[in-house]
Amino acid sequence: MSDNKVILNYDGKAFEYPIIDSTLGEKGIDISKLRDQTGLITLDRGFKNTGSTISTITYLDGDKGELFYRGYPIEQIAEKSNFTEVMYLLLNGNLPTQAEYTNFENGIKKYNYIAEEMKKIIDVFPRSAHPMGVLSSLTSALTAFNPKAVNVAVKEDLDHAAEMMIAKFAHLCAWTYRKTQGLPLNHGDNSLNYVENFYRMAFRKPNEDFVMDKVVVDALDKLLILHADHEQNCSTSTVRMVGSAHTGLFASISAGVSALWGPLHGGANQAVIEMLEMIEKDGGDVAKYVAKAKDKNDSFRLMGFGHRVYKNFDPRARIIKKAADDILNALGIHDKALDIAMQLEKVALEDDYFVERKLYPNVDFYSGIIYRALGIPTEMFTVMFALGRLPGWISQWKEMRLLGDPIGRPRQVYQGYTPRDYVSIENR
Ligand code: SDX
């Protein structure tokens, strides 16, 4: 049995702090009494070494490049499951029986529509508005149409809120796409499964019969599975932080959408394609851009490379890279961006700068190539990430509330002015 405490020697005294055990990965030093006992706090900018909670949902091993949803390896889940089943797994902890699956799917279908007034809200946005800004606003607006706060003490209330959020968020994601194309806004069709329903709401043309392309639906399903949850990443931590104030689920998710938008986080999938297009326009000079990424005086970063936790290949990137190949072949598409991405990966992974810093392709490096092959415009890529991450956000919000985590309120190390007296303006 490993030592289950650490000792901090400070100010001539020894203080003991218990170690919280884990089933996988890092154990944690419980410092909840640190400030009371020593007057000290910890400082860990970006929380690179700090756990915010105890969770049982997702685990990733950054050194091995492994990812597990409720203990199931992502490779098996991506190959054998479907997005609706993964949503159930993340929300409830185990794979559903057929009856549980059907009940869950029907629960979502109950809410497979949106208040007509929501169309008036999306109407006022300019068509040029970035879809993530529209999505965040519409998600928050959902609260106005569903004001009942979630009574987390009642399981049925939590389940209904999750099913409602899942059903309506798919509409909002589809509508943000329709808005950019100037197309009419559709409601759901309960004869379809979740991913088919999203695909039809987003891509149905008013003047044609809709053809459900299985290659596209399967690709979307796999991409949504791969984005479904990822421990305490920036947007999930945002959802937890906002929810820790007992803010409603919809408003908490809206905050997560805004956090995901950032180019260092979910917005990277859009930034990767823009980077590949820039390199292609610049004659495909991959070495030049690798050199720029290494140059400390150049703000250019290799988007889609590096990760706070993965210091090995992101397992999702491996799966997506293969899927990109398969889908481009199935659709008979040759995308120069994929060639450039693979050249970039090869050059970078042979370069000491990237090797020493353990910078590998992450989930965003190849995903945009698939979205583009499916006809999804670049500025919609992060909306697709958000649709995938929704069940993770809801599951983590639910866990935080059921665990009874306290309201998040970090401390700080203050280095500002010491107390001083006010000076009236004529004497300054
Ligand atoms: C996602 O957390 C999650 O789980 C996120 C996510 C999820 O599913 O939720 O996986 C999704 O957000 C994936 C990441 C998408 N972002 C990008 O692809 C943007 C490009 N990557 C980076 O900006 C960066 O790698 C981060 C933001 C992802 C991670 O940054 P860290 O952990 O804060 O690391 P850092 O910025 O301190 O970098 C360490 C070193 C630095 O060099 P030195 O100062 O040590 O010399 O590595 C360098 C950095 O300059 N570096 C890069 C680089 N990423 C890091 N140099 C060039 N290009 C890069 N992409």
Side-chain angles (χ1 to χ4, degrees), residues 130 132 234-235 255-271 303 364 382 385:
H130 194 289
M132 284 299 278
C234 179
S235 55
V257 172
S258 298
L260 187 72
W261 191 0
L264 294 188
H265 188 17
N269 56 17
Q270 172 176 342
M303 300 314 276
D364 293 310
T382 314
F385 193 145

Side-chain angles (χ1 to χ4, degrees), residues 1-6 17-31 51 53-56 59 403:
M1 179 64 181
S2 68
D3 200 352
N4 61 358
K5 63 180 181 299
V6 291
Y17 297 98
I19 289 180
I20 307 290
D21 223 340
S22 62
T23 48
L24 286 172
E26 299 90 350
K27 301 180 192 315
I29 304 171
D30 181 345
I31 57 166
T53 191
I54 292 170
S55 182
T56 62
Y59 172 70
L403 258 184

